[in-house]
């Protein structure tokens, strides 16, 4: 008999490869390309979907029967993890800090997928996760824990592999990217890209994480730690590219935006048909524009990674005065 589940799983991993579009409109005298990780074909895509494929491969291969994760119900991470759990028929528990509950399209989707949300004060989160894992185990379950945001070496691996896709594009097209920009949050996306560049021998590649919330030094330290953890796990001791984690554009923190960021999101959707959102991608795009100007970068090939968050685009449209 054909093992269909295995075939589907392999198909899913192959489907992670996303395209790179060249935009018609230059940006500050540079040619702009966008890697469409927002189009990963599962649960509205995005970097959390890319990471989740790796976690679910481990979950299915290891015959775990329950998924536990951490994050706000309104997060892209929880939406994707709850959706994959539902797809594979696995109960999903989400430990959420009770302080920042928001009713958004993501939180509604999490509800639709039947995930069980356990709210707890933010300083009780790790104790709550420990107790939940122990309780599930004592009931005879095999729970698998996915860190918030898909943090950890597997999440980093997802973007090491994404870097290989970028490298393959460069080799096929003859276009070399001078700078890669993306929205940086918990740091695994950036860590993966930096490690991927190191492993491809591209130690001069400029990878700029535009922070969407965290300030330096903490935000950058977390990226550095993720890089160290990953490179240690594969026993790599060679050179790596510089790490640029720019916190100049966070405004007052996570989810905060201004009129210019809204304009960027409207403009890119209207002119290129590419959705950005004010929490992550439009904020990073806005930061990238200023970074290019400030550093007088001109006449280069720039790659922006659209890390997704499609449901947030619609949250941004609600109550809008268009
Ligand atoms: C989580 C997220 C990021 C940040 O990714 P990290 O790996 O946490 O740095 C960027 N964009 C979107 C849309 C996200 O959901």
């Amino acid at each position: 008999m054909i093992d269909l589940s295995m075939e589907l799983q392999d198909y899913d991993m192959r489907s992670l490869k996303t395209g790179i579009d060249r935009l018609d409109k230059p940006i500050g005298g540079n040619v702009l390309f966008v890697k469409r990780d927002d189009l990963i074909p599962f649960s509205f895509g995005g970097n959390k979907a890319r990471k989740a494929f790796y976690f679910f491969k481990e979950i299915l291969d290891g015959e775990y029967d329950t998924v536990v994760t951490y994050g706000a119900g309104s997060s892209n991470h929880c939406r994707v993890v709850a959706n994959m759990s539902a797809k594979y028929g696995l109960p999903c528990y989400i430990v959420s800090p009770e302080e920042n509950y928001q009713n958004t399209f993501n939180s509604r989707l999490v509800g639709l997928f039947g995930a069980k949300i356990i709210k707890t004060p933010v300083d009780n989160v790790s104790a709550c996760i420990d107790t939940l894992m122990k309780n599930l185990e004592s009931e005879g379950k095999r729970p698998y824990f996915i860190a918030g945001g898909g943090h950890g070496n597997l999440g980093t691996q997802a973007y090491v592999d994404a870097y290989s896709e970028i490298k393959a594009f460069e080799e096929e097209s003859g276009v070399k990217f001078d700078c890669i920009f993306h929205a940086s949050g918990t740091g695994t996306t950036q860590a993966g890209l930096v490690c991927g560049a190191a492993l491809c021998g591209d130690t001069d590649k400029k990878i700029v994480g535009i922070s969407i919330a965290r300030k330096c030094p903490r935000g950058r330290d977390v990226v550095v730690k993720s890089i160290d953890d990953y490179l240690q796990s594969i026993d790599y001791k060679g050179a790596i590219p510089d790490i640029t984690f720019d916190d100049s554009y966070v405004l007052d923190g996570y989810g905060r935006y201004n009129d210019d960021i809204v304009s960027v999101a409207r403009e890119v959707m209207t002119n290129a048909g590419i959705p950005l959102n004010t929490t992550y991608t439009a904020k990073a795009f806005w930061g990238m524009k200023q970074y290019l100007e400030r550093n007088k970068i001109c006449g280069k090939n720039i790659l922006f990674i659209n890390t997704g968050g499609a449901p947030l685009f619609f949250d941004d449209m609600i109550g809008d005065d268009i």
Side-chain angles (χ1 to χ4, degrees), residues 112-127:
L112 171 69
F113 306 142
K116 296 167 195 67
I117 304 235
I118 299 163
K119 289 188 190 141
T120 187
V122 73
D123 50 12
N124 187 50
V125 160
S126 82

Side-chain angles (χ1 to χ4, degrees), residues 186-207:
T186 65
T188 29
T189 300
Q190 186 162 8
L193 293 169
V194 169
C195 294
L199 297 175
C200 288
D202 294 345
T203 49
D204 59 345
K205 192 63 94 188
K206 187 137 188 69
I207 296 164

Side-chain angles (χ1 to χ4, degrees), residues 46-48 51 75-77 79 149 151 159 182-190 212 277 280-281 306-310 312:
N47 66 345
K48 302 309 183 298
K51 296 182 200 183
S75 69
N76 294 315
H77 170 71
R79 180 240 315 152
H151 201 68
Y159 273 86
H182 67 93
S184 202
T186 65
T188 29
T189 300
Q190 186 162 8
I212 51 88
N277 60 78
Y280 293 101
T281 48
N306 187 341
T307 46
L312 303 175

